[in-house]
Each structure stands twice: as structure tokens, then as C-alpha cells.
Amino acid sequence: MRLVFLGPPGAGKGTQAARVARHLGIPHIATGDIFRQAVEAGTPIGLRVKEVMDHGELVSDEMTNEVVRERMALDDTENGFVLDGYPRNVEQALAFEENLKELGVKLDKVIKFMVNGPAIVQRLSGRRICPLCKTVYHFVTHPPQYDEVCDNDGTRLVKREDDQPETVERRLEVYGKLTKPLYDFYDERGLLHQVDALGTTNQVFERLIGIIQDDH
């Protein structure tokens, strides 16, 4: 099963992608992990990515496509994958389509996580992170044992700038403009499905499994 999860920041894609991947026995592939693995492995493209990131610059579409192509060629993707965080635009989607064609495989489904703006603002504004160990907490869904401090090391938790309500709203606006053509791209190919991403983690997971197992 070859799946792509799409949705705005805070929609829960990463959490569900990891869980679905474990359920299906296939790898969960996230672009952040791919970049880190390529850098750690010291591959030629990984070294180029490291140089860009060290300068605080954004990794280009071309470089992102190349890193994904390298990751897709590994043996563990033979039976499928759950990909989240890529593609981010139509140009990347076209490159990914060519990549899969070269490998002789096709996507099975692209699942769009449906969640409204106010819910995302509420989700992300309740999120805190440990600056030391990077563990992410949420005051509703995953609160720390003791208020405002990390369970692992007792460090005071902080709210990331990206999770401020005003910043979240701007990110959502930018995301909507950039990704509508991407949704249209996959819809035209008959691959796009939608999942209601509101509710508990278990409820969303059950909906996803229903979509994945549906033959249509």
C-alpha cells in the first residue's frame, strides 16, 4: 500500500502516519526524517542538504525531490510506504510521479486531512515543547505530569513561535494557497480521498483504516 497524507500544520498527519505505517508493516516516511537520515549517512545529496540547512536556507524543490528519490529506492519501500510532508506543491508531485514510474509502482491513495482553521489554532496553541529533549506535549491530548515542565528532565516547557495563534493563522493561509492546486492534481487522477481529522486519535485512525481498506 502506497499512501500520501496531506493536510495543514496541526492536522495530525505525522501521528496518524506513524500509526498507520506500524499497522500495515510499512515505513513511515517524513521529509524531516529523510533530510536528517541523508545528512547522517553523508550521501552526496545529504552533504548538499546539510550545507543549505547550515546556512539557514530552505531546501529547494529539486534537492527535496532528489532526497525523496534516494529514499524511495531503499528496499524497505518495496511493499509500500506512508509519506507525509511531501509533496508540497504540484512541481514536487510531478517529480514524485516520475520517480514512482521509474520504480515501476503507483500511488494507491492520497488522503487529505480535513480540519477547520479554529480547531487547528486551538490544537497548536495548546502545544508545548521541551527545549532540551524536544518532547512535544499538549495540554489537552498529551499533558505533562507536572504543569509546564518536561516529564523526562524537568525542563520548563516553551511554546514555539510557530504555535502562536497569529502565526498559525498566517501559516494556514499560506498553506491553503499553495496546496489547493495539489489537491486538484490528485483529485484529477482519482487518487484523492478525505478523512475527518477531528476527534480522538483512535477515531481518526479508525476512519483512516476504513478509507485505506475501501477498494474504491
Side-chain angles (χ1 to χ4, degrees), residues 36-56:
R36 188 176 63 253
Q37 289 162 6
V39 169
E40 289 174 353
T43 64
I45 183 63
L47 295 175
R48 285 163 54 201
V49 167
K50 183 178 187 302
E51 185 177 356
V52 169
M53 293 171 73
D54 284 349
H55 284 85

Side-chain angles (χ1 to χ4, degrees), residues 1-213:
M1 183 64 70
R2 295 171 181 86
L3 305 166
V4 166
F5 285 1
L6 299 177
K13 301 184 303 298
T15 299
Q16 294 296 342
R19 186 168 177 180
V20 168
R22 285 195 301 272
H23 180 78
L24 297 176
I26 54 180
H28 165 216
I29 301 173
T31 45
D33 294 338
I34 302 175
F35 290 149
R36 188 176 63 253
Q37 289 162 6
V39 169
E40 289 174 353
T43 64
I45 183 63
L47 295 175
R48 285 163 54 201
V49 167
K50 183 178 187 302
E51 185 177 356
V52 169
M53 293 171 73
D54 284 349
H55 284 85
E57 299 171 6
L58 293 175
V59 180
S60 67
D61 281 356
E62 182 182 3
M63 213 176 287
T64 302
N65 294 335
E66 194 172 337
V67 172
V68 172
R69 188 180 300 113
E70 190 176 79
R71 178 64 182 86
M72 287 296 153
L74 298 182
D75 291 342
D76 66 343
T77 65
E78 186 176 348
N79 294 322
F81 52 80
V82 182
L83 184 58
D84 88 85
Y86 179 93
R88 290 184 180 274
N89 53 49
V90 172
E91 289 73 22
Q92 288 185 0
L94 286 166
F96 187 48
E97 197 170 61
E98 285 303 310
N99 177 16
L100 294 181
K101 196 179 295 182
E102 290 169 12
L103 295 170
V105 298
K106 292 181 179 179
L107 280 178
D108 291 297
K109 292 181 179 180
V110 175
I111 301 178
K112 175 183 177 182
F113 280 56
M114 302 293 292
V115 56
N116 59 40
I120 292 176
V121 171
Q122 184 179 28
R123 281 185 185 183
L124 294 186
S125 61
R127 192 162 66 174
R128 299 291 186 275
I129 187 168
C130 173
L132 187 61
C133 72
K134 307 304 180 186
T135 299
V136 177
Y137 297 89
H138 192 282
F139 287 150
V140 176
T141 59
H142 178 46
Q145 187 175 357
Y146 300 104
D147 192 29
E148 296 284 355
V149 297
C150 178
D151 294 347
N152 301 324
D153 48 48
T155 304
R156 181 156 292 279
L157 304 176
V158 298
K159 178 184 280 194
R160 296 190 306 196
E161 182 61 35
D162 276 359
D163 291 341
Q164 298 291 347
E166 303 80 9
T167 307
V168 172
E169 288 170 2
R170 284 198 299 273
R171 287 168 68 196
L172 290 175
E173 185 178 351
V174 171
Y175 179 86
K177 289 177 181 175
L178 289 176
T179 54
K180 187 182 184 308
L182 185 60
Y183 293 143
D184 294 341
F185 176 90
Y186 282 120
D187 195 27
E188 288 166 4
R189 283 157 172 72
L191 292 170
L192 191 68
H193 299 260
Q194 297 182 352
V195 64
D196 177 1
L198 292 175
T200 67
T201 303
N202 286 341
Q203 286 170 338
V204 177
F205 176 74
E206 292 300 328
R207 292 174 198 144
L208 280 168
I209 294 303
I211 292 169
I212 290 164
Q213 293 177 343

